[in-house]
Amino acid sequence: MEPKRQRLNRRGLLGAAGGAAALGAVGAGAAALGRGSDETEPAAAPATTVPFHGAHQAGITDDAPSQAVLLALDVNDDVDADRLAAVMRLLSDDAARLTQGEAALADADPELAAEPALLTVTFGFGLDLLDRLGLSVPAGAGPLPAFSVDRLEDAWSGGDLLIQVCGEGDLALSHAIRMLVKDSRSFAGVRWAQRGFRQRPAGGGTPRNVLGQIDGTSNPDPGSADGGEAIWFGPEAGALAGGTVMAVRRMRTGLDRWDRLDAVGKDRVIGRRIADGAPLTGEAEDDPVDLDAREDSGLPVIPTNAHVRRAIEAGETILRRSYNYDDGPGPDGESDTGLVFIAYQADIGQFIAIQEHLAEADLLNDYAVPIGSAVFVLPPGCEEGGWIGQGLFA
Ligand code: HEM
């Protein structure tokens, strides 16, 4: 059966106002930029804030800005649910302030908070922590099985509390992280930190990843009923409805190996053209992927093990919002690059189905290896005066 799918590019994400409060501000900023070309109307300043409060947490369906830092904290063993609730109140309050350009409560350098540059802060809880504190784990969340392609390193895996910070300003990000880590220092230690970047093409459109591929073309539309269902926990999740489960996979890319492929080889690995992101069966990036198309020879145009074919044939939908990393080169000149691959879904089974299908046979497996893995339950957003995770502790 043909899986239900929607296609949405970055323009589409900006326009899909339904659901995420955050989209309003980002969309308004983009629209204001567009109006700037009309000389009769003075250009409104682009938005620099993304609302913190809303039905869903910010930093999930809003247009991904250029920088991200993911922090996974390990919560001290003596911390109970009441203490965690108190910390979440503090963290949420400071995150709300910082994302709106206000200083955190105990901010030693309040000036650094003045320009948030589309800063978002998103919180999530590791499954072990929820278990340990007797807090409810929604049915859609669960651990990942071991995949045959995994080469996981502890240094990039697991964690009790996720703090995802995204934005356009390096200084705003650095300041926000400093404040939030300060808030949490007495109850948790940093397990890992992963920094990622994306570069928007000057003319707009979908960014490229470190392998040079146009990455992020096909994603569900969060504003549609099907898209929303694919991303957010439904009413059966009770107080967690409107939340989501996040998979973070650190994928190391073998660039030296990748460099040995010519353009045709690279196209075939993905099933889309490296030049313009169009499927091998189409002309433009947004053209549908035709898995049935055949060459005169009878062979499929999109190879049997091409990444997009394997991903589509798994029959599930996830929201991908990944970042690149580059921690190299090392002393030997070897690159250390890859993707901080991030997927949000209503049920971790959606991710597992795709990852299993890719692990079985995906030409990309020769060039990208999972070296880190973590799953977090992201509660819904909160209203002003509330805090993230409140429903969990009720
Ligand atoms: C370094 C690792 C990876 C790279 C470089 C990569 C790259 C790409 C590229 C270039 C595309 C085509 C353009 C697009 O639609 O965005 C794509 C599509 C896709 N990828 Fe990946 N990917 C990686 C890992 C993964 C993983 C781990 C999963 C899930 C387990 C995944 C799931 C998908 C899905 C669902 C699509 C959309 C297929 C469609 O509907 O056309 N990818 N990926």
Side-chain angles (χ1 to χ4, degrees), residues 228-275:
E229 233 170 75
I231 301 167
W232 308 117
F233 296 142
E236 70 289 345
L240 286 180
T244 185
V245 59
M246 174 193 199
V248 184
R249 305 271 290 169
R250 188 175 181 88
M251 311 275 305
R252 181 177 285 153
T253 47
L255 285 190
D256 295 333
R257 206 178 157 83
W258 179 248
D259 286 348
R260 291 202 284 272
L261 281 178
D262 61 10
V264 175
K266 290 178 175 177
D267 294 353
R268 290 176 60 79
V269 166
I270 290 294
R272 285 180 175 272
R273 279 198 300 267
I274 201 104

mmCIF file of all heavy atoms in Angstrom, residues 228-275:
data_model
loop_
_atom_site.group_PDB
_atom_site.id
_atom_site.type_symbol
_atom_site.label_atom_id
_atom_site.label_comp_id
_atom_site.label_asym_id
_atom_site.label_seq_id
_atom_site.Cartn_x
_atom_site.Cartn_y
_atom_site.Cartn_z
ATOM 1 N N GLY A 228 0.169 16.649 11.547
ATOM 2 C CA GLY A 228 0.084 16.841 12.997
ATOM 3 C C GLY A 228 0.021 15.500 13.710
ATOM 4 O O GLY A 228 0.685 15.287 14.731
ATOM 5 N N GLU A 229 -0.761 14.593 13.140
ATOM 6 C CA GLU A 229 -0.891 13.254 13.749
ATOM 7 C C GLU A 229 0.443 12.502 13.754
ATOM 8 O O GLU A 229 0.739 11.744 14.668
ATOM 9 C CB GLU A 229 -1.871 12.437 12.911
ATOM 10 C CG GLU A 229 -2.997 11.815 13.699
ATOM 11 C CD GLU A 229 -4.024 11.235 12.755
ATOM 12 O OE1 GLU A 229 -3.743 10.167 12.173
ATOM 13 O OE2 GLU A 229 -5.084 11.853 12.594
ATOM 14 N N ALA A 230 1.251 12.738 12.707
ATOM 15 C CA ALA A 230 2.541 12.045 12.618
ATOM 16 C C ALA A 230 3.542 12.592 13.637
ATOM 17 O O ALA A 230 4.453 11.888 14.049
ATOM 18 C CB ALA A 230 3.113 12.193 11.204
ATOM 19 N N ILE A 231 3.347 13.845 14.030
ATOM 20 C CA ILE A 231 4.371 14.491 14.876
ATOM 21 C C ILE A 231 3.998 14.509 16.364
ATOM 22 O O ILE A 231 4.842 14.270 17.219
ATOM 23 C CB ILE A 231 4.620 15.948 14.398
ATOM 24 C CG1 ILE A 231 5.072 15.960 12.935
ATOM 25 C CG2 ILE A 231 5.662 16.635 15.283
ATOM 26 C CD1 ILE A 231 5.034 17.333 12.283
ATOM 27 N N TRP A 232 2.715 14.809 16.672
ATOM 28 C CA TRP A 232 2.358 15.098 18.067
ATOM 29 C C TRP A 232 1.640 13.931 18.744
ATOM 30 O O TRP A 232 0.834 13.238 18.105
ATOM 31 C CB TRP A 232 1.447 16.327 18.143
ATOM 32 C CG TRP A 232 1.979 17.531 17.438
ATOM 33 C CD1 TRP A 232 1.419 18.165 16.357
ATOM 34 C CD2 TRP A 232 3.186 18.267 17.743
ATOM 35 N NE1 TRP A 232 2.194 19.238 15.978
ATOM 36 C CE2 TRP A 232 3.285 19.328 16.814
ATOM 37 C CE3 TRP A 232 4.182 18.134 18.712
ATOM 38 C CZ2 TRP A 232 4.346 20.238 16.826
ATOM 39 C CZ3 TRP A 232 5.232 19.039 18.712
ATOM 40 C CH2 TRP A 232 5.308 20.077 17.783
ATOM 41 N N PHE A 233 1.910 13.736 20.036
ATOM 42 C CA PHE A 233 1.113 12.782 20.826
ATOM 43 C C PHE A 233 -0.348 13.220 20.760
ATOM 44 O O PHE A 233 -0.656 14.412 20.899
ATOM 45 C CB PHE A 233 1.522 12.802 22.303
ATOM 46 C CG PHE A 233 2.942 12.365 22.587
ATOM 47 C CD1 PHE A 233 3.693 13.015 23.568
ATOM 48 C CD2 PHE A 233 3.520 11.300 21.910
ATOM 49 C CE1 PHE A 233 4.989 12.611 23.861
ATOM 50 C CE2 PHE A 233 4.817 10.888 22.197
ATOM 51 C CZ PHE A 233 5.548 11.554 23.166
ATOM 52 N N GLY A 234 -1.257 12.267 20.610
ATOM 53 C CA GLY A 234 -2.689 12.571 20.545
ATOM 54 C C GLY A 234 -3.300 12.629 21.936
ATOM 55 O O GLY A 234 -2.605 12.519 22.956
ATOM 56 N N PRO A 235 -4.640 12.789 21.996
ATOM 57 C CA PRO A 235 -5.336 12.944 23.283
ATOM 58 C C PRO A 235 -5.110 11.769 24.229
ATOM 59 O O PRO A 235 -5.147 11.946 25.451
ATOM 60 C CB PRO A 235 -6.816 13.015 22.887
ATOM 61 C CG PRO A 235 -6.868 13.120 21.410
ATOM 62 C CD PRO A 235 -5.519 12.864 20.845
ATOM 63 N N GLU A 236 -4.833 10.582 23.687
ATOM 64 C CA GLU A 236 -4.612 9.415 24.554
ATOM 65 C C GLU A 236 -3.392 9.608 25.456
ATOM 66 O O GLU A 236 -3.238 8.924 26.461
ATOM 67 C CB GLU A 236 -4.484 8.124 23.726
ATOM 68 C CG GLU A 236 -3.227 7.966 22.878
ATOM 69 C CD GLU A 236 -3.169 8.900 21.667
ATOM 70 O OE1 GLU A 236 -4.213 9.481 21.294
ATOM 71 O OE2 GLU A 236 -2.068 9.066 21.095
ATOM 72 N N ALA A 237 -2.528 10.574 25.109
ATOM 73 C CA ALA A 237 -1.339 10.819 25.940
ATOM 74 C C ALA A 237 -1.660 11.701 27.143
ATOM 75 O O ALA A 237 -0.759 12.040 27.926
ATOM 76 C CB ALA A 237 -0.233 11.446 25.098
ATOM 77 N N GLY A 238 -2.948 12.076 27.298
ATOM 78 C CA GLY A 238 -3.356 12.860 28.477
ATOM 79 C C GLY A 238 -2.604 14.179 28.553
ATOM 80 O O GLY A 238 -2.577 14.954 27.594
ATOM 81 N N ALA A 239 -1.929 14.382 29.693
ATOM 82 C CA ALA A 239 -1.249 15.658 29.918
ATOM 83 C C ALA A 239 -0.091 15.871 28.944
ATOM 84 O O ALA A 239 0.420 16.984 28.823
ATOM 85 C CB ALA A 239 -0.719 15.703 31.354
ATOM 86 N N LEU A 240 0.319 14.803 28.263
ATOM 87 C CA LEU A 240 1.443 14.961 27.325
ATOM 88 C C LEU A 240 0.974 15.176 25.886
ATOM 89 O O LEU A 240 1.796 15.288 24.970
ATOM 90 C CB LEU A 240 2.370 13.753 27.407
ATOM 91 C CG LEU A 240 3.238 13.707 28.663
ATOM 92 C CD1 LEU A 240 4.134 12.480 28.662
ATOM 93 C CD2 LEU A 240 4.095 14.967 28.787
ATOM 94 N N ALA A 241 -0.357 15.215 25.660
ATOM 95 C CA ALA A 241 -0.874 15.458 24.308
ATOM 96 C C ALA A 241 -0.283 16.766 23.789
ATOM 97 O O ALA A 241 -0.195 17.747 24.529
ATOM 98 C CB ALA A 241 -2.396 15.532 24.346
ATOM 99 N N GLY A 242 0.141 16.753 22.535
ATOM 100 C CA GLY A 242 0.790 17.950 21.988
ATOM 101 C C GLY A 242 2.303 17.910 22.178
ATOM 102 O O GLY A 242 3.013 18.786 21.705
ATOM 103 N N GLY A 243 2.777 16.873 22.847
ATOM 104 C CA GLY A 243 4.221 16.657 22.944
ATOM 105 C C GLY A 243 4.659 15.740 21.795
ATOM 106 O O GLY A 243 3.875 15.438 20.892
ATOM 107 N N THR A 244 5.878 15.287 21.862
ATOM 108 C CA THR A 244 6.401 14.437 20.791
ATOM 109 C C THR A 244 7.573 13.618 21.337
ATOM 110 O O THR A 244 8.069 13.897 22.428
ATOM 111 C CB THR A 244 6.848 15.314 19.589
ATOM 112 O OG1 THR A 244 7.254 14.494 18.487
ATOM 113 C CG2 THR A 244 8.014 16.228 19.946
ATOM 114 N N VAL A 245 7.989 12.613 20.589
ATOM 115 C CA VAL A 245 9.186 11.866 20.999
ATOM 116 C C VAL A 245 10.284 12.135 19.964
ATOM 117 O O VAL A 245 10.036 12.146 18.763
ATOM 118 C CB VAL A 245 8.887 10.360 21.224
ATOM 119 C CG1 VAL A 245 8.332 9.683 20.003
ATOM 120 C CG2 VAL A 245 10.127 9.627 21.711
ATOM 121 N N MET A 246 11.463 12.391 20.492
ATOM 122 C CA MET A 246 12.579 12.838 19.652
ATOM 123 C C MET A 246 13.663 11.759 19.606
ATOM 124 O O MET A 246 14.045 11.223 20.646
ATOM 125 C CB MET A 246 13.154 14.106 20.291
ATOM 126 C CG MET A 246 14.397 14.661 19.672
ATOM 127 S SD MET A 246 15.077 15.905 20.811
ATOM 128 C CE MET A 246 16.135 16.834 19.743
ATOM 129 N N ALA A 247 14.137 11.475 18.404
ATOM 130 C CA ALA A 247 15.298 10.590 18.268
ATOM 131 C C ALA A 247 16.469 11.450 17.807
ATOM 132 O O ALA A 247 16.347 12.199 16.833
ATOM 133 C CB ALA A 247 15.023 9.496 17.250
ATOM 134 N N VAL A 248 17.579 11.360 18.529
ATOM 135 C CA VAL A 248 18.803 12.076 18.136
ATOM 136 C C VAL A 248 19.824 11.019 17.757
ATOM 137 O O VAL A 248 20.146 10.154 18.577
ATOM 138 C CB VAL A 248 19.396 12.898 19.302
ATOM 139 C CG1 VAL A 248 20.597 13.705 18.836
ATOM 140 C CG2 VAL A 248 18.358 13.798 19.934
ATOM 141 N N ARG A 249 20.304 11.069 16.548
ATOM 142 C CA ARG A 249 21.286 10.085 16.097
ATOM 143 C C ARG A 249 22.490 10.845 15.547
ATOM 144 O O ARG A 249 22.359 11.628 14.596
ATOM 145 C CB ARG A 249 20.672 9.208 15.002
ATOM 146 C CG ARG A 249 19.369 8.545 15.434
ATOM 147 C CD ARG A 249 19.582 7.222 16.085
ATOM 148 N NE ARG A 249 20.034 6.237 15.127
ATOM 149 C CZ ARG A 249 20.493 5.040 15.481
ATOM 150 N NH1 ARG A 249 20.565 4.694 16.763
ATOM 151 N NH2 ARG A 249 20.889 4.184 14.559
ATOM 152 N N ARG A 250 23.623 10.646 16.155
ATOM 153 C CA ARG A 250 24.830 11.274 15.609
ATOM 154 C C ARG A 250 25.363 10.353 14.517
ATOM 155 O O ARG A 250 25.679 9.187 14.787
ATOM 156 C CB ARG A 250 25.862 11.485 16.707
ATOM 157 C CG ARG A 250 27.069 12.307 16.263
ATOM 158 C CD ARG A 250 27.961 12.573 17.447
ATOM 159 N NE ARG A 250 29.132 13.376 17.139
ATOM 160 C CZ ARG A 250 29.173 14.707 17.158
ATOM 161 N NH1 ARG A 250 28.090 15.393 17.450
ATOM 162 N NH2 ARG A 250 30.282 15.359 16.883
ATOM 163 N N MET A 251 25.416 10.865 13.289
ATOM 164 C CA MET A 251 25.814 10.044 12.138
ATOM 165 C C MET A 251 27.140 10.571 11.595
ATOM 166 O O MET A 251 27.179 11.678 11.043
ATOM 167 C CB MET A 251 24.760 10.136 11.022
ATOM 168 C CG MET A 251 23.322 9.927 11.449
ATOM 169 S SD MET A 251 22.838 8.204 11.499
ATOM 170 C CE MET A 251 23.212 7.623 9.866
ATOM 171 N N ARG A 252 28.194 9.795 11.778
ATOM 172 C CA ARG A 252 29.503 10.235 11.269
ATOM 173 C C ARG A 252 29.563 9.943 9.771
ATOM 174 O O ARG A 252 29.252 8.820 9.344
ATOM 175 C CB ARG A 252 30.626 9.518 12.007
ATOM 176 C CG ARG A 252 32.011 9.949 11.545
ATOM 177 C CD ARG A 252 33.107 9.267 12.337
ATOM 178 N NE ARG A 252 33.249 9.829 13.678
ATOM 179 C CZ ARG A 252 33.719 9.145 14.724
ATOM 180 N NH1 ARG A 252 34.056 7.875 14.593
ATOM 181 N NH2 ARG A 252 33.829 9.717 15.900
ATOM 182 N N THR A 253 29.952 10.949 8.990
ATOM 183 C CA THR A 253 30.013 10.750 7.537
ATOM 184 C C THR A 253 31.448 10.469 7.104
ATOM 185 O O THR A 253 32.375 11.133 7.568
ATOM 186 C CB THR A 253 29.486 11.992 6.786
ATOM 187 O OG1 THR A 253 30.070 13.159 7.346
ATOM 188 C CG2 THR A 253 27.979 12.083 6.893
ATOM 189 N N GLY A 254 31.612 9.500 6.256
ATOM 190 C CA GLY A 254 32.936 9.151 5.736
ATOM 191 C C GLY A 254 33.200 9.961 4.481
ATOM 192 O O GLY A 254 32.991 9.506 3.359
ATOM 193 N N LEU A 255 33.685 11.196 4.698
ATOM 194 C CA LEU A 255 33.826 12.101 3.547
ATOM 195 C C LEU A 255 34.901 11.637 2.562
ATOM 196 O O LEU A 255 34.754 11.820 1.362
ATOM 197 C CB LEU A 255 34.150 13.518 4.023
ATOM 198 C CG LEU A 255 32.985 14.304 4.628
ATOM 199 C CD1 LEU A 255 33.373 15.751 4.836
ATOM 200 C CD2 LEU A 255 31.750 14.234 3.740
ATOM 201 N N ASP A 256 35.982 11.029 3.091
ATOM 202 C CA ASP A 256 37.058 10.629 2.179
ATOM 203 C C ASP A 256 36.555 9.557 1.216
ATOM 204 O O ASP A 256 36.870 9.547 0.025
ATOM 205 C CB ASP A 256 38.276 10.151 2.972
ATOM 206 C CG ASP A 256 38.864 11.307 3.791
ATOM 207 O OD1 ASP A 256 38.674 12.462 3.354
ATOM 208 O OD2 ASP A 256 39.453 11.071 4.856
ATOM 209 N N ARG A 257 35.736 8.687 1.722
ATOM 210 C CA ARG A 257 35.120 7.633 0.905
ATOM 211 C C ARG A 257 34.116 8.247 -0.080
ATOM 212 O O ARG A 257 34.086 7.921 -1.259
ATOM 213 C CB ARG A 257 34.387 6.707 1.877
ATOM 214 C CG ARG A 257 34.204 5.319 1.432
ATOM 215 C CD ARG A 257 33.488 4.595 2.582
ATOM 216 N NE ARG A 257 32.794 3.436 2.069
ATOM 217 C CZ ARG A 257 33.374 2.274 1.860
ATOM 218 N NH1 ARG A 257 34.640 2.110 2.151
ATOM 219 N NH2 ARG A 257 32.679 1.272 1.370
ATOM 220 N N TRP A 258 33.288 9.141 0.455
ATOM 221 C CA TRP A 258 32.250 9.817 -0.346
ATOM 222 C C TRP A 258 32.880 10.572 -1.525
ATOM 223 O O TRP A 258 32.352 10.596 -2.634
ATOM 224 C CB TRP A 258 31.478 10.766 0.574
ATOM 225 C CG TRP A 258 30.386 11.574 -0.049
ATOM 226 C CD1 TRP A 258 30.383 12.919 -0.232
ATOM 227 C CD2 TRP A 258 29.114 11.111 -0.548
ATOM 228 N NE1 TRP A 258 29.198 13.322 -0.802
ATOM 229 C CE2 TRP A 258 28.407 12.229 -1.010
ATOM 230 C CE3 TRP A 258 28.522 9.849 -0.649
ATOM 231 C CZ2 TRP A 258 27.129 12.131 -1.559
ATOM 232 C CZ3 TRP A 258 27.246 9.751 -1.201
ATOM 233 C CH2 TRP A 258 26.570 10.889 -1.652
ATOM 234 N N ASP A 259 34.051 11.188 -1.252
ATOM 235 C CA ASP A 259 34.738 11.973 -2.280
ATOM 236 C C ASP A 259 35.159 11.118 -3.468
ATOM 237 O O ASP A 259 35.420 11.644 -4.552
ATOM 238 C CB ASP A 259 36.005 12.623 -1.691
ATOM 239 C CG ASP A 259 35.676 13.798 -0.789
ATOM 240 O OD1 ASP A 259 34.509 14.232 -0.812
ATOM 241 O OD2 ASP A 259 36.571 14.264 -0.059
ATOM 242 N N ARG A 260 35.230 9.815 -3.260
ATOM 243 C CA ARG A 260 35.674 8.949 -4.362
ATOM 244 C C ARG A 260 34.543 8.652 -5.347
ATOM 245 O O ARG A 260 34.780 8.114 -6.415
ATOM 246 C CB ARG A 260 36.253 7.645 -3.804
ATOM 247 C CG ARG A 260 37.590 7.865 -3.079
ATOM 248 C CD ARG A 260 38.419 6.605 -3.004
ATOM 249 N NE ARG A 260 37.931 5.679 -1.994
ATOM 250 C CZ ARG A 260 38.309 5.703 -0.715
ATOM 251 N NH1 ARG A 260 39.181 6.612 -0.293
ATOM 252 N NH2 ARG A 260 37.832 4.836 0.145
ATOM 253 N N LEU A 261 33.302 9.003 -4.968
ATOM 254 C CA LEU A 261 32.167 8.771 -5.878
ATOM 255 C C LEU A 261 32.058 9.934 -6.873
ATOM 256 O O LEU A 261 32.291 11.082 -6.495
ATOM 257 C CB LEU A 261 30.862 8.722 -5.086
ATOM 258 C CG LEU A 261 30.501 7.456 -4.336
ATOM 259 C CD1 LEU A 261 29.185 7.656 -3.593
ATOM 260 C CD2 LEU A 261 30.365 6.283 -5.300
ATOM 261 N N ASP A 262 31.656 9.628 -8.108
ATOM 262 C CA ASP A 262 31.373 10.743 -9.023
ATOM 263 C C ASP A 262 29.920 11.173 -8.821
ATOM 264 O O ASP A 262 29.179 10.573 -8.034
ATOM 265 C CB ASP A 262 31.665 10.352 -10.477
ATOM 266 C CG ASP A 262 30.795 9.188 -10.938
ATOM 267 O OD1 ASP A 262 29.857 8.814 -10.206
ATOM 268 O OD2 ASP A 262 31.053 8.655 -12.032
ATOM 269 N N ALA A 263 29.503 12.220 -9.543
ATOM 270 C CA ALA A 263 28.171 12.795 -9.304
ATOM 271 C C ALA A 263 27.073 11.750 -9.552
ATOM 272 O O ALA A 263 26.104 11.679 -8.784
ATOM 273 C CB ALA A 263 27.961 14.013 -10.189
ATOM 274 N N VAL A 264 27.253 10.938 -10.581
ATOM 275 C CA VAL A 264 26.211 9.940 -10.873
ATOM 276 C C VAL A 264 26.107 8.949 -9.722
ATOM 277 O O VAL A 264 25.013 8.575 -9.286
ATOM 278 C CB VAL A 264 26.541 9.206 -12.202
ATOM 279 C CG1 VAL A 264 25.547 8.080 -12.462
ATOM 280 C CG2 VAL A 264 26.549 10.190 -13.361
ATOM 281 N N GLY A 265 27.252 8.538 -9.196
ATOM 282 C CA GLY A 265 27.265 7.613 -8.060
ATOM 283 C C GLY A 265 26.582 8.234 -6.851
ATOM 284 O O GLY A 265 25.793 7.580 -6.152
ATOM 285 N N LYS A 266 26.863 9.503 -6.615
ATOM 286 C CA LYS A 266 26.254 10.195 -5.465
ATOM 287 C C LYS A 266 24.740 10.303 -5.646
ATOM 288 O O LYS A 266 23.973 10.128 -4.694
ATOM 289 C CB LYS A 266 26.877 11.589 -5.311
ATOM 290 C CG LYS A 266 28.320 11.536 -4.835
ATOM 291 C CD LYS A 266 28.954 12.918 -4.718
ATOM 292 C CE LYS A 266 30.352 12.772 -4.118
ATOM 293 N NZ LYS A 266 31.076 14.025 -4.014
ATOM 294 N N ASP A 267 24.315 10.579 -6.874
ATOM 295 C CA ASP A 267 22.869 10.666 -7.157
ATOM 296 C C ASP A 267 22.188 9.340 -6.832
ATOM 297 O O ASP A 267 21.102 9.304 -6.255
ATOM 298 C CB ASP A 267 22.611 10.957 -8.646
ATOM 299 C CG ASP A 267 23.094 12.340 -9.070
ATOM 300 O OD1 ASP A 267 23.507 13.122 -8.204
ATOM 301 O OD2 ASP A 267 23.047 12.612 -10.288
ATOM 302 N N ARG A 268 22.851 8.268 -7.191
ATOM 303 C CA ARG A 268 22.232 6.948 -7.041
ATOM 304 C C ARG A 268 22.142 6.526 -5.564
ATOM 305 O O ARG A 268 21.231 5.811 -5.174
ATOM 306 C CB ARG A 268 23.005 5.899 -7.866
ATOM 307 C CG ARG A 268 22.809 6.092 -9.372
ATOM 308 C CD ARG A 268 23.637 5.115 -10.186
ATOM 309 N NE ARG A 268 23.299 3.718 -9.890
ATOM 310 C CZ ARG A 268 22.245 3.078 -10.381
ATOM 311 N NH1 ARG A 268 21.413 3.705 -11.205
ATOM 312 N NH2 ARG A 268 22.021 1.819 -10.070
ATOM 313 N N VAL A 269 23.072 6.963 -4.764
ATOM 314 C CA VAL A 269 23.033 6.618 -3.336
ATOM 315 C C VAL A 269 21.740 7.138 -2.704
ATOM 316 O O VAL A 269 21.075 6.445 -1.934
ATOM 317 C CB VAL A 269 24.252 7.212 -2.590
ATOM 318 C CG1 VAL A 269 24.060 7.154 -1.082
ATOM 319 C CG2 VAL A 269 25.524 6.468 -2.988
ATOM 320 N N ILE A 270 21.368 8.356 -3.067
ATOM 321 C CA ILE A 270 20.172 8.970 -2.464
ATOM 322 C C ILE A 270 18.917 8.681 -3.284
ATOM 323 O O ILE A 270 17.831 8.493 -2.751
ATOM 324 C CB ILE A 270 20.385 10.503 -2.313
ATOM 325 C CG1 ILE A 270 21.421 10.772 -1.230
ATOM 326 C CG2 ILE A 270 19.087 11.227 -1.977
ATOM 327 C CD1 ILE A 270 21.016 10.376 0.182
ATOM 328 N N GLY A 271 19.074 8.684 -4.623
ATOM 329 C CA GLY A 271 17.881 8.581 -5.481
ATOM 330 C C GLY A 271 17.410 9.955 -5.893
ATOM 331 O O GLY A 271 16.350 10.129 -6.476
ATOM 332 N N ARG A 272 18.204 10.951 -5.548
ATOM 333 C CA ARG A 272 17.950 12.343 -5.956
ATOM 334 C C ARG A 272 19.252 12.916 -6.491
ATOM 335 O O ARG A 272 20.333 12.462 -6.098
ATOM 336 C CB ARG A 272 17.500 13.183 -4.757
ATOM 337 C CG ARG A 272 16.060 12.928 -4.325
ATOM 338 C CD ARG A 272 15.719 13.807 -3.127
ATOM 339 N NE ARG A 272 14.324 13.704 -2.743
ATOM 340 C CZ ARG A 272 13.342 14.443 -3.246
ATOM 341 N NH1 ARG A 272 13.604 15.351 -4.164
ATOM 342 N NH2 ARG A 272 12.102 14.287 -2.841
ATOM 343 N N ARG A 273 19.131 13.941 -7.352
ATOM 344 C CA ARG A 273 20.332 14.515 -7.950
ATOM 345 C C ARG A 273 21.027 15.447 -6.967
ATOM 346 O O ARG A 273 20.387 16.293 -6.335
ATOM 347 C CB ARG A 273 19.978 15.297 -9.217
ATOM 348 C CG ARG A 273 19.814 14.409 -10.431
ATOM 349 C CD ARG A 273 19.918 15.223 -11.713
ATOM 350 N NE ARG A 273 18.902 16.251 -11.779
ATOM 351 C CZ ARG A 273 17.724 16.085 -12.377
ATOM 352 N NH1 ARG A 273 17.425 14.931 -12.949
ATOM 353 N NH2 ARG A 273 16.861 17.064 -12.403
ATOM 354 N N ILE A 274 22.360 15.256 -6.855
ATOM 355 C CA ILE A 274 23.132 16.104 -5.954
ATOM 356 C C ILE A 274 23.055 17.560 -6.444
ATOM 357 O O ILE A 274 23.043 18.492 -5.646
ATOM 358 C CB ILE A 274 24.598 15.592 -5.872
ATOM 359 C CG1 ILE A 274 25.274 16.094 -4.618
ATOM 360 C CG2 ILE A 274 25.410 15.926 -7.082
ATOM 361 C CD1 ILE A 274 25.388 15.056 -3.568
ATOM 362 N N ALA A 275 22.955 17.762 -7.765
ATOM 363 C CA ALA A 275 22.999 19.119 -8.331
ATOM 364 C C ALA A 275 21.832 19.964 -7.841
ATOM 365 O O ALA A 275 22.016 21.101 -7.406
ATOM 366 C CB ALA A 275 22.995 19.048 -9.856
#
